[in-house]
mmCIF file of all heavy atoms in Angstrom:
data_model
loop_
_atom_site.group_PDB
_atom_site.id
_atom_site.type_symbol
_atom_site.label_atom_id
_atom_site.label_comp_id
_atom_site.label_asym_id
_atom_site.label_seq_id
_atom_site.Cartn_x
_atom_site.Cartn_y
_atom_site.Cartn_z
ATOM 1 N N ALA A 156 2.972 30.237 1.857
ATOM 2 C CA ALA A 156 4.003 30.260 0.832
ATOM 3 C C ALA A 156 3.518 31.217 -0.410
ATOM 4 O O ALA A 156 2.432 31.250 -0.702
ATOM 5 C CB ALA A 156 4.211 28.887 0.356
ATOM 6 N N SER A 157 4.474 31.812 -0.971
ATOM 7 C CA SER A 157 4.126 32.677 -2.171
ATOM 8 C C SER A 157 3.858 31.535 -3.355
ATOM 9 O O SER A 157 4.182 30.472 -3.272
ATOM 10 C CB SER A 157 5.417 33.445 -2.674
ATOM 11 O OG SER A 157 6.567 32.533 -3.010
ATOM 12 N N ASP A 158 3.393 32.064 -4.453
ATOM 13 C CA ASP A 158 3.159 31.264 -5.612
ATOM 14 C C ASP A 158 4.443 30.521 -6.012
ATOM 15 O O ASP A 158 4.414 29.392 -6.483
ATOM 16 C CB ASP A 158 2.485 32.125 -6.699
ATOM 17 C CG ASP A 158 1.189 32.572 -6.503
ATOM 18 O OD1 ASP A 158 0.473 31.887 -5.527
ATOM 19 O OD2 ASP A 158 0.573 33.503 -7.098
ATOM 20 N N GLU A 159 5.466 31.198 -6.079
ATOM 21 C CA GLU A 159 6.793 30.637 -6.554
ATOM 22 C C GLU A 159 7.253 29.625 -5.580
ATOM 23 O O GLU A 159 7.761 28.569 -6.060
ATOM 24 C CB GLU A 159 7.925 31.793 -6.538
ATOM 25 C CG GLU A 159 7.634 32.898 -7.515
ATOM 26 C CD GLU A 159 6.559 33.939 -7.209
ATOM 27 O OE1 GLU A 159 6.371 34.091 -6.051
ATOM 28 O OE2 GLU A 159 6.160 34.639 -8.160
ATOM 29 N N GLU A 160 7.080 29.846 -4.336
ATOM 30 C CA GLU A 160 7.325 28.681 -3.316
ATOM 31 C C GLU A 160 6.469 27.399 -3.484
ATOM 32 O O GLU A 160 7.007 26.310 -3.414
ATOM 33 C CB GLU A 160 7.261 29.169 -1.842
ATOM 34 C CG GLU A 160 8.370 30.222 -1.580
ATOM 35 C CD GLU A 160 8.139 31.053 -0.253
ATOM 36 O OE1 GLU A 160 6.866 31.392 -0.078
ATOM 37 O OE2 GLU A 160 9.135 31.168 0.500
ATOM 38 N N VAL A 161 5.214 27.647 -3.736
ATOM 39 C CA VAL A 161 4.295 26.515 -3.944
ATOM 40 C C VAL A 161 4.654 25.864 -5.224
ATOM 41 O O VAL A 161 4.796 24.632 -5.347
ATOM 42 C CB VAL A 161 2.843 27.084 -4.120
ATOM 43 C CG1 VAL A 161 1.833 25.915 -4.651
ATOM 44 C CG2 VAL A 161 2.335 27.575 -2.750
ATOM 45 N N ALA A 162 5.092 26.512 -6.334
ATOM 46 C CA ALA A 162 5.593 25.912 -7.508
ATOM 47 C C ALA A 162 6.879 25.132 -7.274
ATOM 48 O O ALA A 162 7.048 23.938 -7.805
ATOM 49 C CB ALA A 162 5.894 27.013 -8.513
ATOM 50 N N GLU A 163 7.734 25.631 -6.449
ATOM 51 C CA GLU A 163 8.964 24.931 -6.050
ATOM 52 C C GLU A 163 8.517 23.598 -5.264
ATOM 53 O O GLU A 163 9.230 22.622 -5.428
ATOM 54 C CB GLU A 163 9.956 25.819 -5.241
ATOM 55 C CG GLU A 163 11.235 25.160 -4.838
ATOM 56 C CD GLU A 163 12.141 24.853 -6.030
ATOM 57 O OE1 GLU A 163 11.850 25.258 -7.203
ATOM 58 O OE2 GLU A 163 13.205 24.270 -5.863
ATOM 59 N N PHE A 164 7.678 23.715 -4.238
ATOM 60 C CA PHE A 164 7.175 22.523 -3.591
ATOM 61 C C PHE A 164 6.842 21.440 -4.555
ATOM 62 O O PHE A 164 7.261 20.232 -4.439
ATOM 63 C CB PHE A 164 6.103 22.761 -2.650
ATOM 64 C CG PHE A 164 6.401 23.668 -1.402
ATOM 65 C CD1 PHE A 164 5.317 24.513 -0.950
ATOM 66 C CD2 PHE A 164 7.584 23.918 -0.907
ATOM 67 C CE1 PHE A 164 5.456 25.349 0.143
ATOM 68 C CE2 PHE A 164 7.847 24.682 0.221
ATOM 69 C CZ PHE A 164 6.773 25.441 0.640
ATOM 70 N N ALA A 165 6.012 21.794 -5.416
ATOM 71 C CA ALA A 165 5.498 20.895 -6.472
ATOM 72 C C ALA A 165 6.645 20.277 -7.315
ATOM 73 O O ALA A 165 6.623 19.059 -7.684
ATOM 74 C CB ALA A 165 4.510 21.637 -7.399
ATOM 75 N N ARG A 166 7.494 21.089 -7.737
ATOM 76 C CA ARG A 166 8.690 20.617 -8.528
ATOM 77 C C ARG A 166 9.463 19.641 -7.770
ATOM 78 O O ARG A 166 9.911 18.592 -8.187
ATOM 79 C CB ARG A 166 9.472 21.835 -8.949
ATOM 80 C CG ARG A 166 10.716 21.374 -9.941
ATOM 81 C CD ARG A 166 11.811 22.458 -10.123
ATOM 82 N NE ARG A 166 12.488 22.793 -8.865
ATOM 83 C CZ ARG A 166 13.408 22.040 -8.274
ATOM 84 N NH1 ARG A 166 13.740 20.897 -8.848
ATOM 85 N NH2 ARG A 166 14.119 22.361 -7.241
ATOM 86 N N LYS A 167 9.845 19.961 -6.372
ATOM 87 C CA LYS A 167 10.509 19.090 -5.674
ATOM 88 C C LYS A 167 9.753 17.702 -5.437
ATOM 89 O O LYS A 167 10.352 16.723 -5.282
ATOM 90 C CB LYS A 167 10.877 19.724 -4.312
ATOM 91 C CG LYS A 167 12.008 20.746 -4.552
ATOM 92 C CD LYS A 167 12.354 21.387 -3.112
ATOM 93 C CE LYS A 167 13.483 22.354 -3.370
ATOM 94 N NZ LYS A 167 13.821 23.000 -1.992
ATOM 95 N N TYR A 168 8.473 17.787 -5.211
ATOM 96 C CA TYR A 168 7.677 16.541 -5.075
ATOM 97 C C TYR A 168 7.780 15.711 -6.240
ATOM 98 O O TYR A 168 7.847 14.516 -6.163
ATOM 99 C CB TYR A 168 6.189 17.005 -4.746
ATOM 100 C CG TYR A 168 5.407 15.821 -4.291
ATOM 101 C CD1 TYR A 168 5.725 14.953 -3.284
ATOM 102 C CD2 TYR A 168 4.212 15.653 -4.825
ATOM 103 C CE1 TYR A 168 4.774 13.838 -2.865
ATOM 104 C CE2 TYR A 168 3.326 14.645 -4.463
ATOM 105 C CZ TYR A 168 3.740 13.717 -3.421
ATOM 106 O OH TYR A 168 2.891 12.785 -3.031
ATOM 107 N N ARG A 169 7.713 16.254 -7.415
ATOM 108 C CA ARG A 169 7.803 15.608 -8.604
ATOM 109 C C ARG A 169 9.083 14.868 -8.610
ATOM 110 O O ARG A 169 9.150 13.705 -9.054
ATOM 111 C CB ARG A 169 7.639 16.453 -9.878
ATOM 112 C CG ARG A 169 7.726 15.759 -11.204
ATOM 113 C CD ARG A 169 7.534 16.724 -12.362
ATOM 114 N NE ARG A 169 7.642 16.118 -13.631
ATOM 115 C CZ ARG A 169 6.799 15.607 -14.396
ATOM 116 N NH1 ARG A 169 5.425 15.581 -13.920
ATOM 117 N NH2 ARG A 169 6.970 15.081 -15.453
#
Side-chain angles (χ1 to χ4, degrees):
S157 68
D158 290 343
E159 293 78 19
E160 289 168 321
V161 169
E163 183 65 9
F164 294 152
R166 186 192 66 72
K167 286 182 178 179
Y168 188 50
R169 182 181 173 90

